[in-house]
Amino acid sequence: MRIATWNVNSLAARLDKVRWWLDRARPDVLLLQETKLADDAAPHAAFKDCGYELVHHGQGRWNGVAIASRVGIAEVVTAFGESRAAMVDGEDGDPLHEARMIAGTCAGVRVVSVYVPNGRTLGSPFFEAKLTWLARLGRWLEEACDPSAPLVVGGDFNVAPTDDDVWDAAACHGGTHVSERERAAIASLARWGLHDAYRAQHPERGRYSWWDYRAGAFHKNLGMRIDLMLVTAPLSERVRWAEIDREARKGKPTPSDHAPVVIDVDEPGHPLDAGWTAAEGRIAKRQWLRRQRAACARPVT
DNA sequence: ATGCCATACGTTGTATGA
């Protein structure tokens, strides 16, 4: 089973790129962030054409999260299960009232797509709201989820868990994304039972999931690893492969400033589509894996 | 190592992002 997360920075602007990537990586489940769409504008038909069911939680201009699955989606929860009445369309500026969380169950795995608030600057009300939001995520996990069951919280956490996850912690946005309190919030999630699936497969430095659009940051590999796949123990021991697909950060038209983070559960690569013979399937799978490694694993290209 | 890039909304500017 392949599960991925991708902050697409507008699903409307990125729809062709997302379709290309679904065909390229064939994830079973894709967690999406920053769709920047209202629910009634969610592109269900486009995903259905690619073989995916889409569940979406958005309010329009900003934020917006979704889950695309080709193995079914059940038990959908948005906004930590708060009622619609409690949500005031984010108009009060409280991130707890914004579309930043959606969960579902796909092929026996509880999947949670999160878009953690940015925080803007240390000490600002936005920064405090970011910490409050992360604490709310922790409380929801404690109340509604089971660390001994297979679960992944994937998404844009807007936190680089360690200095190995950022090109230069000192140069980083006046301290957000790398501060002690943000990292303590991630550590608190870890204590509940969430493991960093990508880091478990890749101890090396210099692997990032976001690069600034400007000043050639991507080509200089000046980035941060802020898109995470955090998995509970029963899922962690099933992870066989993880990558950040840098290919998706390249090319025209303009890509998202984030790259997808992918994990394979139970086996590496992906079961091929029906219609292949077993022998053809094995060969194609090896070629696919080789291509993936060559394309994704280079530190800088 | 910031808003120099990119997005939406709406109209040539403002808000937001990490």
Side-chain angles (χ1 to χ4, degrees):
Chain A
M1 182 179 189
R2 167 160 292 179
I3 310 173
T5 184
W6 195 7
N7 178 325
V8 292
N9 185 18
S10 170
L11 186 52
R14 221 68 62 203
L15 191 54
D16 285 345
K17 197 87 177 178
V18 171
R19 277 193 281 222
W20 164 81
W21 194 77
L22 288 173
D23 186 50
R24 166 181 166 77
R26 294 308 289 166
D28 294 286
V29 179
L30 175 60
L31 311 178
L32 294 155
Q33 300 87 36
E34 281 209 271
T35 64
K36 299 188 177 182
L37 292 174
D39 285 336
D40 59 13
H44 296 279
F47 277 78
K48 192 173 183 186
D49 286 346
C50 301
Y52 291 82
E53 181 181 353
L54 181 71
V55 292
H56 184 270
H57 175 50
Q59 298 156 319
R61 190 164 183 181
W62 292 300
N63 315 306
V65 285
I67 301 168
S69 171
R70 58 191 189 118
V71 292
I73 312 178
E75 302 167 284
V76 174
V77 168
T78 61
F80 305 118
E82 301 283 355
S83 68
R84 280 244 164 238
M87 301 281 289
V88 286
D89 295 339
E91 285 173 2
D92 59 354
D94 183 348
L96 287 172
H97 297 152
E98 293 169 346
R100 295 179 176 276
M101 178 269 182
I102 187 168
T105 301
C106 304
V109 179
R110 193 76 179 139
V111 300
V112 190
S113 177
V114 298
Y115 177 44
V116 177
N118 170 290
R120 301 197 198 178
T121 54
L122 287 184
S124 68
F126 302 98
F127 182 75
E128 294 302 320
K130 177 181 193 173
L131 296 171
T132 301
W133 197 94
L134 281 164
R136 181 70 185 89
L137 171 61
R139 182 160 74 81
W140 179 78
L141 288 168
E142 283 173 13
E143 292 174 355
C145 299
D146 178 0
S148 68
L151 175 143
V152 53
V153 185
D156 178 358
F157 282 77
N158 271 318
V159 180
T162 75
D163 283 356
D164 285 350
D165 300 309
V166 57
W167 86 100
D168 181 355
C172 195
H173 305 294
T176 63
H177 297 67
V178 299
S179 75
E180 277 190 32
R181 291 174 73 197
E182 288 159 89
R183 286 175 172 173
I186 301 300
S188 175
L189 297 177
R191 276 195 303 280
W192 179 77
L194 290 176
H195 307 273
D196 187 333
Y198 178 83
R199 185 50 87 202
Q201 297 284 317
H202 292 277
E204 65 271 27
R205 301 196 57 174
R207 297 298 174 87
Y208 308 130
S209 66
W210 170 88
W211 302 260
D212 197 297
Y213 280 120
R214 291 159 299 164
F218 177 67
H219 295 286
K220 298 175 194 167
N221 200 30
L222 305 180
M224 292 193 277
R225 193 176 68 90
I226 56 177
D227 299 273
L228 309 176
M229 293 288 274
L230 303 183
V231 299
T232 54
L235 203 54
S236 180
E237 63 195 26
R238 291 165 57 189
V239 174
R240 295 289 175 269
W241 187 79
E243 263 310 342
I244 297 168
D245 190 357
R246 293 173 49 89
E247 292 301 304
R249 179 62 178 76
K250 302 176 184 177
K252 297 283 178 188
T254 314
S256 171
D257 44 357
H258 297 252
V261 183
V262 188
I263 64 171
D264 281 346
V265 173
D266 298 327
E267 59 176 339
H270 196 279
L272 291 154
D273 290 330
W276 294 83
T277 68
E280 284 172 339
R282 278 194 297 276
I283 292 163
K285 187 166 174 175
R286 274 201 300 277
Q287 288 174 340
W288 190 91
L289 273 168
R290 200 155 47 230
R291 260 205 335 271
Q292 280 288 102
R293 293 199 173 108
C296 305
R298 277 176 297 216
V300 182
T301 53

